[in-house]
Each structure stands twice: as C-alpha cells, then as structure tokens.
Amino acid sequence: MHRYRYRRRSAPTSPGTKIGYLPQEPKLNPEHTVRESIEEAVAEVVNALKGLDEVYAKYAEPDADFDKLAAQQGKFEEIIQAHDGHNLNVTAGYALLMHCVCQTGMRKSLPFPVVNVAV
C-alpha cells in the first residue's frame, strides 16, 4: 500500500494511483469582461452551432452531398449535445446573473439560495 503525503497528512492509495491538483477557480484574463470570458469558454459550442446552421442551409442546395453533410451534422451535434449547447443562452445568462449577484451582495434578496459561483 502506497501513501500520499501532503502537509503532514497522508492517505492510503493503490499502486498506480495518480494524485493531481484541480483548481476550483478558473484563470481568467483580467482584461476581459465577464461576458467575454464566458464567450471564450464556450467558443467550441458556438462554432458548432454556427456550423450546424451552415449544414442545414447546404441541405437545401440542389447538388448537396447528403452523406458528407450528414457526417458533418453528426460531428456538430455531438459537440452540442456534450455541452448542452442548445441551452447555451440560458446557461450564459445564469452565469452573468450570478456574477452580478455575487459582486453586488444581492444574495439575500433573491427567491432562491445562491452559492459561491466562479465565473
């Protein structure tokens, strides 16, 4: 049995176990606004949504290659589904709201509990 040691404490680990650090706060660009930081974080999903719209438009073309378009559509839909991309506006709006609430101290006036939110 191996032991993981950190600041005079230890915990048993199995052989081959990897221990790592997962920061709880994201590293944000201090020159960006909250909205810009959110847009940067979800750029892959936004690009997939735009790509999916382009694929849908190409289906209407008379010489469309449906097999190729279906493959592209599947790729874009996989990215969107993995990140709940169809609800992106709701999620980003909620993140902005929580940032404002946490910065202004309005927590007690909301009709729902608010935990610390890192945006």
Side-chain angles (χ1 to χ4, degrees):
M1 179 80 52
H2 292 64
R3 295 201 69 79
Y4 169 69
R5 295 187 185 283
Y6 177 72
R7 294 187 182 177
R8 293 180 273 177
R9 295 183 180 175
S10 65
T13 61
S14 300
T17 300
K18 295 181 179 182
I19 306 293
Y21 172 70
L22 178 63
Q24 299 301 303
E25 298 289 331
K27 292 186 178 184
L28 302 175
N29 184 339
E31 296 181 10
H32 283 181
T33 64
V34 174
R35 177 177 294 281
E36 290 170 337
S37 294
I38 292 171
E39 289 172 354
E40 183 180 315
V42 296
E44 179 185 19
V45 179
V46 171
N47 291 336
L49 288 166
K50 288 178 183 175
L52 189 59
D53 287 341
E54 290 171 7
V55 167
Y56 289 156
K58 289 179 183 177
Y59 273 125
E61 295 175 2
D63 58 342
D65 182 355
F66 289 101
D67 292 333
K68 181 180 175 185
L69 291 173
Q72 289 176 339
Q73 178 182 348
K75 182 177 69 173
F76 290 135
E77 286 180 349
E78 186 177 309
I79 293 169
I80 294 166
Q81 291 298 323
H83 299 285
D84 194 24
H86 291 296
N87 293 318
L88 188 59
N89 288 337
V90 173
T91 306
Y94 182 74
L96 282 169
L97 171 68
M98 290 300 100
H99 174 73
C100 293
V101 166
C102 292
Q103 296 299 315
T104 60
M106 294 173 41
R107 294 174 187 221
K108 294 180 182 175
S109 64
L110 291 174
F112 51 87
V114 177
V115 296
N116 288 333
V117 177
V119 177

